[in-house]
Amino acid sequence: MAEALRVERLGVTRGSRALLEDVSLHADYGTLLAITGPNGAGKSTLIKALVGLLPHSGAVRIGDAEVASLTPAERARAVAYIPQRSSIMASVAVRDVVAQARYAHRSRFGRANPTDPAVTRALEQTDLTALSGRAYDTLSGGEQRRVLLARALATEARILLFDEPTSGLDIAHALRFFELADRLRKAGFVLVCVLHELDDALRHADAALLLSEGKSVSFGPVSEVLSAEHIARVYGVRMFERAGLGYALDGEPR
């Protein structure tokens, strides 16, 4: 499919410190790109720069458009960001939180519509229909993560940027996230996911970017990027396969 996202020589600085240097990547529609690397490598910084939340050098293009040239509404319709945690503190119903995502599709003075079909569909996709009337601040951390995912899906953006999407989720909902991610990928979305667990990247991603100290170590097919040589270089550990626990949702092959 057509190229969705291209990043060329991206850099992010804070004061005199370089958080990211000369990072390049690209992703096509219909793919899942994993952003990997140890703590402090710059993974979350990269995701925030891609969505326009951090000033940066270099180029970030969505399709044919430079991100910096898009209006906030245009950017919201093209790309959605799902953070590790939200600053939402008010006692707002889950459905209303998800409905906030529709602002980019409303007229200037339009109001949020909690019955919007896109909102209902997003709640169903994330297994939140039964919790739609609950106040967001009464939910568990994992449930709140699912609400943030539903809000992103309700934007109907085709590029989804996730910062550790399974953090705080129990095993079943983590599996359901990757099940949903696979459906979205097959439907032509592009998903860019910061993944802490390398097993998840190897199992689910098409391509990967491996970062270390703000620099790109390798970018390409996931099996090549997460090679034993690269893992030893970046993480300082030896990688080998060993039998362990496996999990599957009911009805899935083991």
Side-chain angles (χ1 to χ4, degrees), residues 26-171:
H26 57 85
D28 295 339
Y29 287 106
T31 62
L32 192 158
L33 168 63
I35 309 298
T36 61
N39 292 339
K43 303 184 296 295
S44 296
T45 298
L46 174 58
I47 290 290
K48 291 176 183 177
L50 296 186
V51 80
L53 294 177
L54 292 176
H56 60 268
S57 59
V60 177
R61 301 186 66 84
I62 295 174
D64 295 328
E66 172 66 34
V67 166
S69 72
L70 300 176
T71 67
E74 288 172 336
R75 189 165 62 235
R77 290 193 294 267
V79 58
Y81 166 58
I82 301 89
Q84 289 189 44
R85 59 188 63 85
S86 172
S87 59
I88 298 172
M89 300 296 292
S91 187
V92 180
V94 165
R95 182 176 283 272
D96 291 331
V97 172
V98 177
Q100 293 171 356
R102 301 299 294 166
Y103 84 91
H105 297 269
R106 300 194 300 267
S107 64
R108 182 179 178 185
F109 299 105
R111 301 181 65 181
N113 177 14
T115 63
D116 188 313
V119 174
T120 299
R121 183 166 55 251
L123 290 167
E124 292 172 349
Q125 288 176 307
T126 52
D127 194 26
L128 286 169
T129 302
L131 299 178
S132 62
R134 283 270 302 275
Y136 178 85
D137 60 357
T138 67
L139 302 180
S140 69
E143 289 168 339
Q144 290 181 350
R145 294 297 302 275
R146 285 157 52 203
V147 175
L148 299 181
L149 171 56
R151 185 174 64 177
L153 293 174
T155 67
E156 298 183 300
R158 304 291 288 180
I159 301 174
L160 304 177
L161 309 178
F162 297 87
D163 194 351
E164 296 200 27
T166 58
S167 174
L169 298 185
D170 59 32
I171 294 169

Side-chain angles (χ1 to χ4, degrees), residues 181-203:
D182 189 54
R183 292 200 305 270
L184 292 171
R185 182 178 60 79
K186 290 176 179 176
F189 287 74
V190 58
L191 294 85
V192 181
C193 302
V194 170
L195 294 178
H196 183 71
E197 297 293 338
L198 299 184
D199 278 353
D200 288 339
L202 286 165
R203 190 175 296 118

